[in-house]
PDB file of all heavy atoms in Angstrom:
ATOM      1  N   GLN M   1       2.330  -4.157  16.128  1.00 97.00           N
ATOM      2  CA  GLN M   1       2.504  -5.480  15.531  1.00 97.00           C
ATOM      3  C   GLN M   1       2.421  -6.573  16.597  1.00 97.00           C
ATOM      4  O   GLN M   1       3.050  -6.481  17.653  1.00 97.00           O
ATOM      5  CB  GLN M   1       3.862  -5.536  14.816  1.00 97.00           C
ATOM      6  CG  GLN M   1       4.095  -6.750  13.975  1.00 97.00           C
ATOM      7  CD  GLN M   1       5.416  -6.660  13.214  1.00 97.00           C
ATOM      8  OE1 GLN M   1       6.150  -5.679  13.340  1.00 97.00           O
ATOM      9  NE2 GLN M   1       5.732  -7.671  12.440  1.00 97.00           N
ATOM     10  N   VAL M   2       1.638  -7.605  16.287  1.00 97.00           N
ATOM     11  CA  VAL M   2       1.500  -8.784  17.151  1.00 97.00           C
ATOM     12  C   VAL M   2       1.978  -9.988  16.354  1.00 97.00           C
ATOM     13  O   VAL M   2       1.620 -10.154  15.183  1.00 97.00           O
ATOM     14  CB  VAL M   2       0.033  -8.974  17.581  1.00 97.00           C
ATOM     15  CG1 VAL M   2      -0.150 -10.284  18.336  1.00 97.00           C
ATOM     16  CG2 VAL M   2      -0.419  -7.803  18.448  1.00 97.00           C
ATOM     17  N   ILE M   3       2.779 -10.841  16.984  1.00 96.00           N
ATOM     18  CA  ILE M   3       3.266 -12.040  16.298  1.00 96.00           C
ATOM     19  C   ILE M   3       3.006 -13.273  17.161  1.00 96.00           C
ATOM     20  O   ILE M   3       2.857 -13.186  18.379  1.00 96.00           O
ATOM     21  CB  ILE M   3       4.773 -11.957  15.960  1.00 96.00           C
ATOM     22  CG1 ILE M   3       5.615 -11.845  17.241  1.00 96.00           C
ATOM     23  CG2 ILE M   3       5.044 -10.799  15.017  1.00 96.00           C
ATOM     24  CD1 ILE M   3       7.107 -12.008  16.995  1.00 96.00           C
ATOM     25  N   ALA M   4       2.956 -14.415  16.495  1.00 97.00           N
ATOM     26  CA  ALA M   4       2.768 -15.688  17.180  1.00 97.00           C
ATOM     27  C   ALA M   4       3.226 -16.797  16.236  1.00 97.00           C
ATOM     28  O   ALA M   4       3.494 -16.556  15.052  1.00 97.00           O
ATOM     29  CB  ALA M   4       1.304 -15.885  17.571  1.00 97.00           C
ATOM     30  N   LEU M   5       3.312 -17.997  16.764  1.00 96.00           N
ATOM     31  CA  LEU M   5       3.620 -19.177  15.966  1.00 96.00           C
ATOM     32  C   LEU M   5       2.399 -20.094  15.953  1.00 96.00           C
ATOM     33  O   LEU M   5       1.774 -20.326  17.002  1.00 96.00           O
ATOM     34  CB  LEU M   5       4.823 -19.931  16.546  1.00 96.00           C
ATOM     35  CG  LEU M   5       6.169 -19.203  16.480  1.00 96.00           C
ATOM     36  CD1 LEU M   5       7.240 -20.030  17.175  1.00 96.00           C
ATOM     37  CD2 LEU M   5       6.570 -18.940  15.037  1.00 96.00           C
ATOM     38  N   ILE M   6       2.083 -20.597  14.783  1.00 96.00           N
ATOM     39  CA  ILE M   6       0.900 -21.448  14.616  1.00 96.00           C
ATOM     40  C   ILE M   6       1.330 -22.819  14.098  1.00 96.00           C
ATOM     41  O   ILE M   6       2.041 -22.917  13.088  1.00 96.00           O
ATOM     42  CB  ILE M   6      -0.092 -20.822  13.609  1.00 96.00           C
ATOM     43  CG1 ILE M   6      -0.440 -19.383  14.006  1.00 96.00           C
ATOM     44  CG2 ILE M   6      -1.336 -21.691  13.494  1.00 96.00           C
ATOM     45  CD1 ILE M   6      -1.157 -19.234  15.314  1.00 96.00           C
ATOM     46  N   GLU M   7       0.909 -23.866  14.794  1.00 94.00           N
ATOM     47  CA  GLU M   7       1.094 -25.223  14.291  1.00 94.00           C
ATOM     48  C   GLU M   7      -0.088 -25.567  13.393  1.00 94.00           C
ATOM     49  O   GLU M   7      -1.253 -25.386  13.789  1.00 94.00           O
ATOM     50  CB  GLU M   7       1.155 -26.223  15.444  1.00 94.00           C
ATOM     51  CG  GLU M   7       2.488 -26.232  16.170  1.00 94.00           C
ATOM     52  CD  GLU M   7       2.548 -27.308  17.245  1.00 94.00           C
ATOM     53  OE1 GLU M   7       1.486 -27.849  17.596  1.00 94.00           O
ATOM     54  OE2 GLU M   7       3.643 -27.577  17.735  1.00 94.00           O
ATOM     55  N   VAL M   8       0.203 -26.049  12.213  1.00 94.00           N
ATOM     56  CA  VAL M   8      -0.841 -26.326  11.227  1.00 94.00           C
ATOM     57  C   VAL M   8      -1.137 -27.821  11.200  1.00 94.00           C
ATOM     58  O   VAL M   8      -0.228 -28.643  11.035  1.00 94.00           O
ATOM     59  CB  VAL M   8      -0.410 -25.853   9.829  1.00 94.00           C
ATOM     60  CG1 VAL M   8      -1.519 -26.122   8.813  1.00 94.00           C
ATOM     61  CG2 VAL M   8      -0.043 -24.377   9.849  1.00 94.00           C
ATOM     62  N   ASP M   9      -2.405 -28.153  11.389  1.00 92.00           N
ATOM     63  CA  ASP M   9      -2.827 -29.549  11.247  1.00 92.00           C
ATOM     64  C   ASP M   9      -2.823 -29.896   9.771  1.00 92.00           C
ATOM     65  O   ASP M   9      -3.685 -29.457   9.000  1.00 92.00           O
ATOM     66  CB  ASP M   9      -4.231 -29.751  11.822  1.00 92.00           C
ATOM     67  CG  ASP M   9      -4.254 -29.721  13.336  1.00 92.00           C
ATOM     68  OD1 ASP M   9      -3.205 -29.996  13.944  1.00 92.00           O
ATOM     69  OD2 ASP M   9      -5.308 -29.404  13.908  1.00 92.00           O
ATOM     70  N   ALA M  10      -1.861 -30.660   9.359  1.00 77.00           N
ATOM     71  CA  ALA M  10      -1.747 -31.046   7.951  1.00 77.00           C
ATOM     72  C   ALA M  10      -1.281 -32.486   7.907  1.00 77.00           C
ATOM     73  O   ALA M  10      -0.568 -32.948   8.805  1.00 77.00           O
ATOM     74  CB  ALA M  10      -0.746 -30.140   7.228  1.00 77.00           C
ATOM     75  N   PRO M  11      -1.672 -33.241   6.889  1.00 58.00           N
ATOM     76  CA  PRO M  11      -1.206 -34.623   6.793  1.00 58.00           C
ATOM     77  C   PRO M  11       0.311 -34.642   6.665  1.00 58.00           C
ATOM     78  O   PRO M  11       0.910 -33.720   6.104  1.00 58.00           O
ATOM     79  CB  PRO M  11      -1.891 -35.141   5.525  1.00 58.00           C
ATOM     80  CG  PRO M  11      -2.222 -33.906   4.748  1.00 58.00           C
ATOM     81  CD  PRO M  11      -2.510 -32.852   5.758  1.00 58.00           C
ATOM     82  N   PRO M  12       0.959 -35.660   7.185  1.00 57.00           N
ATOM     83  CA  PRO M  12       2.416 -35.739   7.048  1.00 57.00           C
ATOM     84  C   PRO M  12       2.821 -35.663   5.585  1.00 57.00           C
ATOM     85  O   PRO M  12       2.171 -36.250   4.715  1.00 57.00           O
ATOM     86  CB  PRO M  12       2.755 -37.110   7.644  1.00 57.00           C
ATOM     87  CG  PRO M  12       1.600 -37.428   8.549  1.00 57.00           C
ATOM     88  CD  PRO M  12       0.397 -36.811   7.890  1.00 57.00           C
ATOM     89  N   VAL M  13       3.876 -34.912   5.320  1.00 57.00           N
ATOM     90  CA  VAL M  13       4.343 -34.792   3.947  1.00 57.00           C
ATOM     91  C   VAL M  13       5.185 -35.993   3.589  1.00 57.00           C
ATOM     92  O   VAL M  13       5.758 -36.660   4.449  1.00 57.00           O
ATOM     93  CB  VAL M  13       5.167 -33.497   3.760  1.00 57.00           C
ATOM     94  CG1 VAL M  13       4.313 -32.275   4.073  1.00 57.00           C
ATOM     95  CG2 VAL M  13       6.406 -33.504   4.646  1.00 57.00           C
ATOM     96  N   ALA M  14       5.231 -36.260   2.289  1.00 51.00           N
ATOM     97  CA  ALA M  14       6.090 -37.346   1.824  1.00 51.00           C
ATOM     98  C   ALA M  14       7.543 -36.957   2.034  1.00 51.00           C
ATOM     99  O   ALA M  14       7.910 -35.802   1.862  1.00 51.00           O
ATOM    100  CB  ALA M  14       5.818 -37.613   0.344  1.00 51.00           C
ATOM    101  N   PRO M  15       8.395 -37.874   2.436  1.00 52.00           N
ATOM    102  CA  PRO M  15       9.808 -37.526   2.639  1.00 52.00           C
ATOM    103  C   PRO M  15      10.453 -37.120   1.328  1.00 52.00           C
ATOM    104  O   PRO M  15      10.022 -37.540   0.248  1.00 52.00           O
ATOM    105  CB  PRO M  15      10.417 -38.816   3.181  1.00 52.00           C
ATOM    106  CG  PRO M  15       9.501 -39.902   2.704  1.00 52.00           C
ATOM    107  CD  PRO M  15       8.122 -39.305   2.684  1.00 52.00           C
ATOM    108  N   PRO M  16      11.478 -36.261   1.390  1.00 47.00           N
ATOM    109  CA  PRO M  16      12.165 -35.868   0.160  1.00 47.00           C
ATOM    110  C   PRO M  16      12.647 -37.083  -0.614  1.00 47.00           C
ATOM    111  O   PRO M  16      13.054 -38.095  -0.032  1.00 47.00           O
ATOM    112  CB  PRO M  16      13.335 -35.023   0.673  1.00 47.00           C
ATOM    113  CG  PRO M  16      12.885 -34.532   2.013  1.00 47.00           C
ATOM    114  CD  PRO M  16      12.039 -35.626   2.578  1.00 47.00           C
ATOM    115  N   HIS M  17      12.561 -36.963  -1.936  1.00 43.00           N
ATOM    116  CA  HIS M  17      13.056 -37.975  -2.871  1.00 43.00           C
ATOM    117  C   HIS M  17      12.196 -39.239  -2.901  1.00 43.00           C
ATOM    118  O   HIS M  17      12.585 -40.233  -3.499  1.00 43.00           O
ATOM    119  CB  HIS M  17      14.515 -38.339  -2.579  1.00 43.00           C
ATOM    120  CG  HIS M  17      15.405 -37.143  -2.456  1.00 43.00           C
ATOM    121  ND1 HIS M  17      15.580 -36.241  -3.475  1.00 43.00           N
ATOM    122  CD2 HIS M  17      16.130 -36.686  -1.410  1.00 43.00           C
ATOM    123  CE1 HIS M  17      16.401 -35.278  -3.068  1.00 43.00           C
ATOM    124  NE2 HIS M  17      16.744 -35.517  -1.824  1.00 43.00           N
ATOM    125  N   SER M  18      11.027 -39.189  -2.224  1.00 40.00           N
ATOM    126  CA  SER M  18      10.123 -40.325  -2.368  1.00 40.00           C
ATOM    127  C   SER M  18       9.342 -40.156  -3.660  1.00 40.00           C
ATOM    128  O   SER M  18       9.416 -39.126  -4.330  1.00 40.00           O
ATOM    129  CB  SER M  18       9.161 -40.396  -1.180  1.00 40.00           C
ATOM    130  OG  SER M  18       8.198 -39.368  -1.276  1.00 40.00           O
ATOM    131  N   ALA M  19       8.537 -41.158  -3.996  1.00 37.00           N
ATOM    132  CA  ALA M  19       7.811 -41.103  -5.266  1.00 37.00           C
ATOM    133  C   ALA M  19       6.844 -39.932  -5.314  1.00 37.00           C
ATOM    134  O   ALA M  19       6.580 -39.372  -6.371  1.00 37.00           O
ATOM    135  CB  ALA M  19       7.058 -42.424  -5.484  1.00 37.00           C
ATOM    136  N   THR M  20       6.286 -39.543  -4.148  1.00 38.00           N
ATOM    137  CA  THR M  20       5.303 -38.460  -4.146  1.00 38.00           C
ATOM    138  C   THR M  20       5.868 -37.138  -3.650  1.00 38.00           C
ATOM    139  O   THR M  20       5.184 -36.130  -3.663  1.00 38.00           O
ATOM    140  CB  THR M  20       4.105 -38.836  -3.260  1.00 38.00           C
ATOM    141  OG1 THR M  20       4.579 -39.094  -1.937  1.00 38.00           O
ATOM    142  CG2 THR M  20       3.399 -40.055  -3.813  1.00 38.00           C
ATOM    143  N   GLY M  21       7.080 -37.135  -3.175  1.00 40.00           N
ATOM    144  CA  GLY M  21       7.677 -35.908  -2.659  1.00 40.00           C
ATOM    145  C   GLY M  21       9.102 -35.772  -3.145  1.00 40.00           C
ATOM    146  O   GLY M  21      10.038 -35.722  -2.351  1.00 40.00           O
ATOM    147  N   ALA M  22       9.268 -35.733  -4.444  1.00 40.00           N
ATOM    148  CA  ALA M  22      10.584 -35.864  -5.047  1.00 40.00           C
ATOM    149  C   ALA M  22      11.587 -34.838  -4.564  1.00 40.00           C
ATOM    150  O   ALA M  22      12.768 -35.126  -4.482  1.00 40.00           O
ATOM    151  CB  ALA M  22      10.451 -35.795  -6.572  1.00 40.00           C
ATOM    152  N   ASP M  23      11.172 -33.630  -4.274  1.00 40.00           N
ATOM    153  CA  ASP M  23      12.165 -32.638  -3.840  1.00 40.00           C
ATOM    154  C   ASP M  23      11.762 -31.943  -2.538  1.00 40.00           C
ATOM    155  O   ASP M  23      12.303 -30.916  -2.186  1.00 40.00           O
ATOM    156  CB  ASP M  23      12.397 -31.590  -4.938  1.00 40.00           C
ATOM    157  CG  ASP M  23      11.109 -30.907  -5.360  1.00 40.00           C
ATOM    158  OD1 ASP M  23      10.078 -31.141  -4.698  1.00 40.00           O
ATOM    159  OD2 ASP M  23      11.133 -30.142  -6.340  1.00 40.00           O
ATOM    160  N   GLY M  24      10.806 -32.483  -1.823  1.00 44.00           N
ATOM    161  CA  GLY M  24      10.427 -31.918  -0.534  1.00 44.00           C
ATOM    162  C   GLY M  24       9.554 -30.691  -0.605  1.00 44.00           C
ATOM    163  O   GLY M  24       9.303 -30.056   0.407  1.00 44.00           O
ATOM    164  N   ARG M  25       9.066 -30.318  -1.777  1.00 45.00           N
ATOM    165  CA  ARG M  25       8.328 -29.063  -1.884  1.00 45.00           C
ATOM    166  C   ARG M  25       6.953 -29.117  -1.236  1.00 45.00           C
ATOM    167  O   ARG M  25       6.332 -28.075  -1.035  1.00 45.00           O
ATOM    168  CB  ARG M  25       8.183 -28.650  -3.351  1.00 45.00           C
ATOM    169  CG  ARG M  25       9.506 -28.202  -3.942  1.00 45.00           C
ATOM    170  CD  ARG M  25       9.279 -27.579  -5.291  1.00 45.00           C
ATOM    171  NE  ARG M  25      10.456 -27.753  -6.114  1.00 45.00           N
ATOM    172  CZ  ARG M  25      10.536 -27.380  -7.388  1.00 45.00           C
ATOM    173  NH1 ARG M  25       9.485 -26.847  -7.969  1.00 45.00           N
ATOM    174  NH2 ARG M  25      11.632 -27.566  -8.078  1.00 45.00           N
ATOM    175  N   ASP M  26       6.455 -30.294  -0.895  1.00 49.00           N
ATOM    176  CA  ASP M  26       5.184 -30.345  -0.168  1.00 49.00           C
ATOM    177  C   ASP M  26       5.297 -29.674   1.192  1.00 49.00           C
ATOM    178  O   ASP M  26       4.287 -29.363   1.818  1.00 49.00           O
ATOM    179  CB  ASP M  26       4.730 -31.794   0.008  1.00 49.00           C
ATOM    180  CG  ASP M  26       4.127 -32.365  -1.274  1.00 49.00           C
ATOM    181  OD1 ASP M  26       3.853 -31.566  -2.189  1.00 49.00           O
ATOM    182  OD2 ASP M  26       3.939 -33.581  -1.353  1.00 49.00           O
ATOM    183  N   ASN M  27       6.525 -29.450   1.689  1.00 55.00           N
ATOM    184  CA  ASN M  27       6.723 -28.757   2.956  1.00 55.00           C
ATOM    185  C   ASN M  27       6.501 -27.254   2.836  1.00 55.00           C
ATOM    186  O   ASN M  27       6.440 -26.555   3.849  1.00 55.00           O
ATOM    187  CB  ASN M  27       8.159 -28.989   3.454  1.00 55.00           C
ATOM    188  CG  ASN M  27       8.406 -30.434   3.835  1.00 55.00           C
ATOM    189  OD1 ASN M  27       7.925 -30.900   4.853  1.00 55.00           O
ATOM    190  ND2 ASN M  27       9.157 -31.144   3.004  1.00 55.00           N
ATOM    191  N   ILE M  28       6.427 -26.733   1.619  1.00 73.00           N
ATOM    192  CA  ILE M  28       6.364 -25.290   1.422  1.00 73.00           C
ATOM    193  C   ILE M  28       4.978 -24.755   1.767  1.00 73.00           C
ATOM    194  O   ILE M  28       3.973 -25.239   1.258  1.00 73.00           O
ATOM    195  CB  ILE M  28       6.735 -24.928  -0.036  1.00 73.00           C
ATOM    196  CG1 ILE M  28       8.221 -25.231  -0.289  1.00 73.00           C
ATOM    197  CG2 ILE M  28       6.421 -23.470  -0.333  1.00 73.00           C
ATOM    198  CD1 ILE M  28       8.643 -25.054  -1.727  1.00 73.00           C
ATOM    199  N   SER M  29       4.941 -23.772   2.660  1.00 83.00           N
ATOM    200  CA  SER M  29       3.676 -23.092   2.940  1.00 83.00           C
ATOM    201  C   SER M  29       3.657 -21.703   2.332  1.00 83.00           C
ATOM    202  O   SER M  29       2.598 -21.092   2.194  1.00 83.00           O
ATOM    203  CB  SER M  29       3.438 -22.994   4.449  1.00 83.00           C
ATOM    204  OG  SER M  29       4.485 -22.297   5.096  1.00 83.00           O
ATOM    205  N   GLY M  30       4.840 -21.171   1.955  1.00 90.00           N
ATOM    206  CA  GLY M  30       4.905 -19.868   1.315  1.00 90.00           C
ATOM    207  C   GLY M  30       4.445 -18.763   2.251  1.00 90.00           C
ATOM    208  O   GLY M  30       4.647 -18.807   3.461  1.00 90.00           O
ATOM    209  N   VAL M  31       3.808 -17.748   1.679  1.00 95.00           N
ATOM    210  CA  VAL M  31       3.323 -16.602   2.448  1.00 95.00           C
ATOM    211  C   VAL M  31       1.846 -16.404   2.096  1.00 95.00           C
ATOM    212  O   VAL M  31       1.499 -16.255   0.925  1.00 95.00           O
ATOM    213  CB  VAL M  31       4.117 -15.327   2.141  1.00 95.00           C
ATOM    214  CG1 VAL M  31       3.631 -14.173   3.023  1.00 95.00           C
ATOM    215  CG2 VAL M  31       5.616 -15.556   2.346  1.00 95.00           C
ATOM    216  N   THR M  32       1.004 -16.388   3.108  1.00 97.00           N
ATOM    217  CA  THR M  32      -0.441 -16.225   2.928  1.00 97.00           C
ATOM    218  C   THR M  32      -0.865 -14.873   3.469  1.00 97.00           C
ATOM    219  O   THR M  32      -0.394 -14.428   4.517  1.00 97.00           O
ATOM    220  CB  THR M  32      -1.210 -17.342   3.656  1.00 97.00           C
ATOM    221  OG1 THR M  32      -0.795 -18.610   3.143  1.00 97.00           O
ATOM    222  CG2 THR M  32      -2.713 -17.183   3.467  1.00 97.00           C
ATOM    223  N   TRP M  33      -1.790 -14.234   2.755  1.00 98.00           N
ATOM    224  CA  TRP M  33      -2.284 -12.912   3.119  1.00 98.00           C
ATOM    225  C   TRP M  33      -3.715 -13.007   3.607  1.00 98.00           C
ATOM    226  O   TRP M  33      -4.576 -13.597   2.935  1.00 98.00           O
ATOM    227  CB  TRP M  33      -2.211 -12.005   1.878  1.00 98.00           C
ATOM    228  CG  TRP M  33      -2.744 -10.610   2.046  1.00 98.00           C
ATOM    229  CD1 TRP M  33      -2.769  -9.852   3.174  1.00 98.00           C
ATOM    230  CD2 TRP M  33      -3.322  -9.798   1.008  1.00 98.00           C
ATOM    231  NE1 TRP M  33      -3.308  -8.611   2.911  1.00 98.00           N
ATOM    232  CE2 TRP M  33      -3.655  -8.559   1.594  1.00 98.00           C
ATOM    233  CE3 TRP M  33      -3.565  -9.998  -0.342  1.00 98.00           C
ATOM    234  CZ2 TRP M  33      -4.246  -7.526   0.865  1.00 98.00           C
ATOM    235  CZ3 TRP M  33      -4.147  -8.973  -1.074  1.00 98.00           C
ATOM    236  CH2 TRP M  33      -4.476  -7.751  -0.474  1.00 98.00           C
ATOM    237  N   LEU M  34      -3.963 -12.449   4.786  1.00 98.00           N
ATOM    238  CA  LEU M  34      -5.316 -12.288   5.305  1.00 98.00           C
ATOM    239  C   LEU M  34      -5.574 -10.789   5.375  1.00 98.00           C
ATOM    240  O   LEU M  34      -5.135 -10.104   6.301  1.00 98.00           O
ATOM    241  CB  LEU M  34      -5.445 -12.939   6.682  1.00 98.00           C
ATOM    242  CG  LEU M  34      -6.848 -13.053   7.289  1.00 98.00           C
ATOM    243  CD1 LEU M  34      -7.808 -13.742   6.320  1.00 98.00           C
ATOM    244  CD2 LEU M  34      -6.804 -13.802   8.612  1.00 98.00           C
ATOM    245  N   PRO M  35      -6.278 -10.231   4.372  1.00 98.00           N
ATOM    246  CA  PRO M  35      -6.335  -8.777   4.214  1.00 98.00           C
ATOM    247  C   PRO M  35      -7.111  -8.045   5.310  1.00 98.00           C
ATOM    248  O   PRO M  35      -8.015  -8.590   5.956  1.00 98.00           O
ATOM    249  CB  PRO M  35      -7.030  -8.592   2.853  1.00 98.00           C
ATOM    250  CG  PRO M  35      -6.809  -9.877   2.130  1.00 98.00           C
ATOM    251  CD  PRO M  35      -6.851 -10.923   3.203  1.00 98.00           C
ATOM    252  N   PHE M  36      -6.747  -6.791   5.452  1.00 97.00           N
ATOM    253  CA  PHE M  36      -7.483  -5.810   6.245  1.00 97.00           C
ATOM    254  C   PHE M  36      -8.925  -5.758   5.742  1.00 97.00           C
ATOM    255  O   PHE M  36      -9.168  -5.702   4.536  1.00 97.00           O
ATOM    256  CB  PHE M  36      -6.791  -4.461   6.042  1.00 97.00           C
ATOM    257  CG  PHE M  36      -7.375  -3.284   6.768  1.00 97.00           C
ATOM    258  CD1 PHE M  36      -6.940  -2.940   8.038  1.00 97.00           C
ATOM    259  CD2 PHE M  36      -8.318  -2.476   6.162  1.00 97.00           C
ATOM    260  CE1 PHE M  36      -7.437  -1.823   8.688  1.00 97.00           C
ATOM    261  CE2 PHE M  36      -8.828  -1.356   6.803  1.00 97.00           C
ATOM    262  CZ  PHE M  36      -8.379  -1.034   8.075  1.00 97.00           C
TER     263      PHE M  36
END
């Protein structure tokens, strides 16, 4: 197993509770699979 940390170039997210980011969920990246 090899691990690393990756910084993602993404536009700044709207702050929580703003009109476009009501609960901060734009920060969610979840889990992505890059298959064998």
Side-chain angles (χ1 to χ4, degrees):
Q1 189 175 1
V2 173
I3 62 170
L5 293 176
I6 306 296
E7 283 184 346
V8 181
D9 287 336
V13 299
H17 310 300
S18 73
T20 59
D23 56 8
R25 289 190 208 176
D26 283 347
N27 293 287
I28 292 174
S29 59
V31 183
T32 301
W33 177 30
L34 189 53
F36 180 91

